[in-house]
Amino acid sequence: MNEKIYDIIIVGGGCAGLTAAVYARRAEKSVLLLEKSAFGGQIAYSPEVENFPGFTKIGGLEFSDRLYSQAKALGTEFELDNVTDIKTDSEYKTVITDYGEYKCRAVIIATGLAHRKTGLENEKRLTGHGISYCAVCDGAFFRGKDVAVYGGGNTAVGDALFLSDICKSVTVIHRRAEFRADLYSTEKLRAKTNIHYELNSEVCALSGDERLQKITVRNKQTGESKDISVSALFIAIGFLPQNEICKNIVALDDGGFIKAGEDCLTSCPGIFAAGDCRTKALRQLTTAAADGASAATAAIRYID
Ligand code: NAP
């Protein structure tokens, strides 16, 4: 047990959590930020960010590095540790992790989202062997090869754009004819010459012994299936909330998101929710940053 009592513990080191740390430290609150995998969050895996005010274009990793450095320079304490539970039944809140326990006056939950899986047989076995959820991390392994991207949102289109520059060809498989991604990115993709489209289609099988060798794609309109030989499949079919740790202390909506408005207040006093993990209409870097500021301000007010 760490004996120190923090003013604020932030769970999750993405854009929302790191922004909350910046605001809380600037108000001279003691802050511990707990992150289970890597500081920076999902945006670190985005090839390029072109819609954050003030930046015409910045790499996702550089953006998250800058935010992390800013929070660190202001005196935020960081631990790489997995939070398993939060107890609210005494004067201070106790955040329980794999490696210890931490006490604080207020908690900001900024746990973001986890990759949605296809649920297909072999998905887990072949992950890291041709199946990936991160084009920026793994794309270079498939330089000059034929690869595929599954999904029709901004992540899928951004991944396809990134991969089209380094791979021989990219097959984009999407379950509808229209892309969910913004028009600007979709138009950029349309201008590429090495992209193949399998629209109104779903991936229905993943095959390969040691590595992924082919995917089976079924057209939902014709009912026809075909095999496509690829060295890699990048799955970008959205995200799901990961709010297991707080399901017994704050109210969740039907989708598993924390019920909290723009003020980031949850159903439990002293627990605040920021970023993609809460109920909201628009999940973007800008709205995550806005939430970080709001949640920190609300937590500071609660403590004072
Ligand atoms: P998303 O917008 O939720 O898109 C997920 C895509 O996967 C959709 O095209 C969806 O199809 C498809 N899909 C969902 N479930 C599926 C399933 N079970 N089987 C097959 N396909 C499935 O997710 P995202 O692209 O990861 O983006 C998440 C958020 O981050 C969005 O708000 C996005 O705008 C934002 N983002 C922004 C940027 C940027 O602005 N630079 C970059 C990346 C992400 P349908 O379209 O038919 O629903």
Side-chain angles (χ1 to χ4, degrees), residues 42-43 46-52 113 115-119 150-159 173-182 185 201-203 220 235-239 276 281-285 287:
Q42 292 294 342
I43 198 61
S46 243
E48 273 171 2
V49 179
E50 295 185 49
N51 56 2
F52 196 84
L113 303 170
H115 293 285
R116 178 182 278 122
K117 309 285 190 299
T118 65
Y150 191 19
N154 273 317
T155 302
V157 170
D159 286 357
I173 304 125
H174 176 36
R175 64 182 178 183
R176 291 186 299 126
E178 287 81 35
F179 283 93
R180 180 179 293 276
D182 61 71
S185 307
S201 297
E202 56 194 9
V203 177
K220 298 200 307 177
I235 298 171
I237 56 170
F239 292 88
D276 288 354
L282 183 64
R283 293 191 167 81
Q284 292 281 300
L285 212 47
T287 59

Side-chain angles (χ1 to χ4, degrees), residues 3-52:
E3 294 305 321
K4 181 168 175 177
I5 294 163
Y6 292 91
D7 290 321
I8 300 173
I9 290 181
I10 299 167
V11 184
C15 180
L18 289 167
T19 305
V22 167
Y23 273 71
R25 283 300 303 145
R26 281 173 54 83
E28 298 187 351
K29 299 299 175 202
S30 57
V31 178
L32 172 66
L33 191 151
L34 297 164
E35 161 61 49
K36 70 174 175 185
S37 51
F39 299 110
Q42 292 294 342
I43 198 61
Y45 306 112
S46 243
E48 273 171 2
V49 179
E50 295 185 49
N51 56 2
F52 196 84

